[in-house]
Structures are given as C-alpha cells and as structure tokens.
Amino acid sequence: MTHATLNLNGKSYELPVLVGTEGEVGIDISDLRAKTGAITLDNGYANTGSCTSAITFIDGEQGILRYRGYPIEELAEKASFEEVSYLLIWGHLPNAQELAEFRHRVTYHSLLHEAMKKLFEDFPITAHPMAVLSAMVASLSAYYNREDEEPDLNIARLIAKTNTIAAFCYKKSIGQPFVYPRNDLSYTQNFLHMMFAVPAEPYKISPVLDRALNLLLILHADHEQNCSTSSVRMVGSSRTNLFAAISAGVCALWGPLHGGANQEVLQMLKAIRDDGGDYRKYVNLAKDKNSGFRLMGFGHRVYKNFDPRARILKKAADAVLQEMKVADPLLDIAKNLEEVALHDEFFIERKLYPNVDFYSGIIYRAMGIPTEMFTVMFALGRLPGWIAQWREMKDDPKTRINRPRQIYTGATTRSYLPMEQRTASTEPAMLQERELVLV
Ligand code: ACO
C-alpha cells in the first residue's frame, strides 16, 4: 500500500501512506489543502497523527506500552527512574559512565536560585500545588535561560530543580520550612527527604517508599501524544524555551480528564466511603448520563483492553500497603468498584477499564503524600517524557509551527451597528452555532 485515494467533488486525489515500524498506517494529508482546498475535521484529534515519533509505542487494543522499544513491565521491574529518563531523552539505556554523569548532573543542579524562594512565599497557603508548580517551572526561564550555554544543561537543570520545586510546593502548603536537597541521595530519595524531613529530627528514608516512588515515576514517564505532551509540542513549536513549553504541559496535565484524575479518584473513593461504601450505587450513577457523574480513573482514549500501568499498580498497591502495614478501606472500595464495573454491560460495551490513575492515588496516600499533591507527582514522573518529546520536535527538520485549521460556523459578514440600534434580541441570536452542512 503506497497511497490512498480520495474522491472529492468528482475529482480523485492520491495521498501518500506512511507505515510505522509497528505496522501503524497513516494517510499523509500534509498537502491536502493545497491540492483540494479542503481540510480534515477530527474532534479531539482521535484519528490525527500530529507527528512521527521514535519514543513511545502504545497498542491500545493489546494493552502494550513500550519506551524506546522496552516493555513497560520490564522497565518497571528492573530500571531506575534516572535510567528511564535517560533512555527516553537520549534514546538508549545509559552505560555505567553515562548514568553516573547524568545522576551527578540531576543531583548537583537541584538547588533553586535563592531568589526563587521569595516567589514561593508570595503564593497564598491555599494555592493548589499545580498552580505553584506551573508558575515555578515557567519562572525557571527567568533564572536559567542563557543562550550561550550547552543545550542539555537546561534539561538537567529542569529535571533536578523540578524535584525540589515539587517538594517545596508541599512544604509551602503546610507552612513548614523548605528542606534543601542533599547531594548524597538519589533522585527519589532526595524527593522523599525534601518532602518529609523536618529540621527538628533526622529523617530515615524508607526503602519501601523509595521503591514505590521509583515505580510510580517510571510508569508515568511517557505516554506519546496525550493532551499534556501535545501541549508541550504545540507550545514548543513556536520555538519558545524549554521551561515555557514544559510549563504548558504542567497546566494541561492539571485537568481532571487528564493527570488531575488521580486526585479526583481519591476524592471519589472517599465520597463512596463516607456515603456508607455502596459502590454499586456509584456504578449506576456513572451509567446514568443525566447524572453528569463519571467513574474517575476509568476509561482511556487509547487503551481499549486494559491499561498495562494500571495492572502493575494494582499489584504494587497490595504489596506497598502490606509492606507498610497499612490497611486502607479505600483500596477495598477501589477493588470492588473495578470488579463490578468490569462485569457490567455499560463498561464492557464502551471498553472502559481502570487507567493508571485508578490505583496510583492509593499508593501515594499510603506513602503519606496528600491528595492535592497527586498531580504534581504525575508531572514529576512525566517530565522526562515531555523533555524527550520537546527535544524530538525541536530537532526534527519537518517541524513547523503547530497551527491547526478550523471550519468556521459563525456569522457571515454583517455591518457594525451603532449603539442606539443594538437590542438584546439581535446579538445573542447571531452567536448561535450554525448547522454544519455536509455536502
Ligand atoms: N465513567 C462513565 N462513563 C464513561 C467514562 C467513565 N469514566 N469514560 C467514558 N465513559 C463513557 C462516555 O460517557 C461515552 O459513552 P457514550 O458512548 O454512551 O456517549 C463513552 O464512554 C466514550 O467516552 P468519551 O468521553 O467519548 O471517551 P474519550 O476518549 O473522549 O475520553 C477519558 C477518555 C477522558 C479518559 C474518559 O474516559 C474519562 O473522562 N475518564 C475519567 C477521567 C479519567 O480517569 N481520566 C484519566 C485518563 S488517563 C490519563 O490521563 C493519565
């Protein structure tokens, strides 16, 4: 198959066809408008490839996720978050020297410019940590965006400093003094230290927490062209700086239909518990379209069989809670909810399965991380993926500024009305959407 044929208004056009290394087929419509005058319309981009990419492969029907060819199950079991970050950004697993250098960089650049501490102080204590995180990541460009520096230095800075920023967001929210990073600790250990240590007493980092955090960050590290990653690429395509592009990704992640779902899941599980634990009632509520209620942590645009990350996390949730000797009734509610939904026609028909956010919150909760910080944790994990995708976009000679088209459905041309001729009834009527005419 080398081309597809399009018939439009009695004319026939040949469009080139691309096949990816895993057999995915794409019809290249780059010249469509120039050739035909028409554009494509694809609500939510569900059928639109925005780029070619060699970073992450997903087969939603089979429940497959691979970073640079490595199955997520293998990386989750064997790798460290630093190794996975390196793999995503530079395309291969680091050798011992490369890993040591990378670790050194993301440790030694972890201090924030002291002036940035003042920025934290000016936020209200009630600020959502994602508001603070997005602002702080964008602010890094005010302190560290010198053009004469080696390009990869800012990548190391961003990874190192976001760890510190994330922990500072938490300290700020509970009114405790910031705890500075330590150079003798790994990336995940440093995060736990900055989150949970207090000046009054020594803090011992639990290896269980360290392993759990490593796993969670790896599972979130990349997920090809999702909403936040596409935002990073979109914003980055204007050639804005790395920090500004990543800050856009943080903002996109915040929404409850994306990374914000992990916070929503926990809030939903708590609500079910407080309502007497009747999970069936909530499954029924989710099936009732008029209720406006969705089972948070269920469904995925791409996975239509199972989310492999959710599978790994379900097992990990059991293990972490056991190791930490925590019994959490919310885990039982989550399992029951999953069981009921998986056997319900509504969910089966629509191929709705638990996604990565369904079990991650239970583990974060057991680790002592508050609900409002969940999406920050997601952002910390997704950071290497965003950076890898930004770098690939920037270095791809085919990249053009991202600028989608539209089908205009507003008013046709009309004349400006002087104030005295405007009535309440003329204006709103004009704003109504026009019917799309299919020819
Ligand atoms: N609960 C109940 N019904 C659902 C759910 C849900 N969680 N998700 C989808 N549906 C139903 C929809 O009502 C729709 O039904 P219909 O065909 O009868 O109209 C059908 O399933 C398809 O749903 P869409 O919203 O069209 O699917 P889309 O691909 O646009 O959205 C999304 C995917 C946003 C993840 C959606 O499933 C959802 O809102 N889930 C809950 C939020 C969530 O968990 N988000 C995290 C996603 S993972 C991540 O970002 C890391």
Side-chain angles (χ1 to χ4, degrees):
M1 189 176 13
T2 53
H3 65 264
T5 308
L6 171 75
N7 291 315
L8 184 68
N9 293 334
K11 273 195 176 172
S12 174
Y13 303 92
E14 291 205 339
L15 301 168
V17 167
L18 247 79
V19 182
T21 51
E22 291 283 351
E24 287 171 305
V25 176
I27 302 168
D28 184 348
I29 56 149
S30 309
D31 291 337
L32 186 71
R33 191 168 176 278
K35 279 183 181 165
T36 68
I39 62 164
T40 56
L41 190 62
D42 184 14
N43 185 21
Y45 307 125
N47 307 281
T48 296
S50 56
C51 58
T52 55
S53 177
I55 300 171
T56 288
F57 173 69
I58 301 176
D59 181 333
E61 276 69 37
Q62 309 283 332
I64 291 173
L65 169 61
R66 295 187 205 125
Y67 299 159
R68 302 277 187 189
Y70 296 97
I72 190 66
E73 293 79 6
E74 235 180 286
L75 293 171
E77 193 190 327
K78 297 176 183 158
S80 67
F81 178 61
E82 289 103 318
E83 267 179 295
V84 169
S85 301
Y86 190 102
L87 170 71
L88 284 167
I89 299 170
W90 286 285
H92 62 273
L93 281 172
N95 64 26
Q97 193 195 337
E98 287 166 332
L99 184 60
E101 276 169 18
F102 180 61
R103 281 200 163 130
H104 184 270
R105 282 193 131 187
V106 298
T107 307
Y108 278 77
H109 287 288
S110 56
L111 271 180
L112 295 183
H113 194 294
E114 278 295 292
M116 286 190 79
K117 267 173 50 189
K118 289 205 199 79
L119 302 182
F120 277 97
E121 280 154 20
D122 285 343
F123 279 99
I125 199 155
T126 51
H128 194 286
M130 285 297 278
V132 182
L133 179 69
S134 56
M136 286 298 163
V137 170
S139 303
L140 287 173
S141 51
Y143 295 89
Y144 301 102
N145 198 35
R146 291 190 23 209
E147 294 210 332
D148 56 340
E149 288 175 331
E150 176 224 330
D152 285 351
L153 182 56
N154 275 346
I155 291 180
R157 281 179 176 145
L158 179 56
I159 295 175
K161 291 177 199 306
T162 304
N163 209 16
T164 310
I165 292 173
F168 279 21
C169 285
Y170 173 62
K171 288 295 196 194
K172 160 82 198 177
S173 75
I174 55 169
Q176 279 189 5
F178 300 128
V179 174
Y180 281 53
R182 272 178 27 196
N183 288 346
D184 59 322
L185 298 178
S186 76
Y187 193 78
T188 44
Q189 287 169 346
N190 235 331
F191 177 77
L192 294 168
H193 158 74
M194 291 187 283
M195 276 285 286
F196 297 121
V198 284
E201 55 190 67
Y203 172 70
K204 195 167 170 297
I205 296 159
S206 146
V208 180
L209 293 197
D210 188 21
R211 272 203 310 279
L213 183 58
N214 192 61
L215 173 72
L216 283 156
L217 296 188
I218 289 174
L219 293 182
H220 284 93
D222 194 45
H223 215 234
E224 51 117 306
Q225 309 313 319
N226 55 81
C227 176
S228 55
T229 303
S230 299
S231 305
V232 169
R233 279 186 179 256
M234 166 78 87
V235 172
S237 77
S238 74
R239 309 241 172 111
T240 189
N241 69 71
L242 169 69
F243 305 114
I246 300 293
S247 171
V250 175
C251 290
L253 189 76
W254 190 359
L257 297 190
H258 191 15
N262 55 13
Q263 175 174 341
E264 301 278 329
V265 171
L266 237 278
Q267 278 158 358
M268 175 187 77
L269 294 174
K270 280 184 192 163
I272 298 176
R273 179 199 60 194
D274 297 345
D275 193 23
D278 183 2
Y279 44 88
R280 282 171 210 277
K281 175 174 147 191
Y282 285 84
V283 171
N284 288 334
L285 208 58
K287 287 158 62 177
D288 174 6
K289 288 288 167 67
N290 297 323
S291 72
F293 174 78
R294 284 190 165 198
L295 273 192
M296 297 314 284
F298 262 77
H300 199 275
R301 172 60 64 77
V302 177
Y303 293 119
K304 299 299 174 195
N305 182 333
F306 64 93
D307 180 339
R309 304 165 301 173
R311 256 194 192 169
I312 298 171
L313 282 184
K314 185 181 179 179
K315 266 203 214 149
D318 270 328
V320 171
L321 265 63
Q322 240 176 30
E323 276 190 82
M324 298 191 66
K325 300 189 176 48
V326 176
D328 189 346
L330 296 191
L331 180 59
D332 299 329
I333 295 178
K335 283 184 176 168
N336 286 331
L337 209 55
E338 178 183 354
E339 191 59 23
V340 172
L342 290 184
H343 292 98
D344 189 293
E345 258 324 292
F346 177 94
F347 290 86
I348 295 170
E349 249 174 45
R350 290 167 181 76
K351 298 187 163 60
L352 300 171
Y353 297 86
N355 58 49
V356 68
D357 291 325
F358 195 64
Y359 284 107
S360 61
I362 305 267
I363 306 182
Y364 285 134
R365 190 173 134 93
M367 292 171 71
I369 294 173
T371 316
E372 286 224 318
M373 279 292 289
F374 289 0
T375 316
V376 171
M377 303 307 299
F378 192 153
L380 197 58
R382 184 54 55 88
L383 190 57
W386 286 333
I387 295 171
Q389 302 271 353
W390 172 83
R391 204 167 163 268
E392 186 179 62
M393 177 274 308
K394 184 176 69 66
D395 294 345
D396 184 347
K398 295 191 299 300
T399 297
R400 301 169 74 190
I401 187 166
N402 284 193
R403 202 306 187 182
R405 292 266 174 179
Q406 62 166 14
I407 300 288
Y408 176 67
T409 60
T412 51
T413 186
R414 49 184 168 156
S415 290
Y416 179 84
L417 285 180
M419 188 61 77
E420 59 279 11
Q421 290 180 24
R422 294 179 212 167
T423 61
S425 60
T426 51
E427 279 305 307
M430 291 296 196
L431 295 175
Q432 275 177 15
E433 199 177 302
R434 292 166 73 93
E435 286 282 301
L436 275 179
V437 182
L438 296 176
V439 287

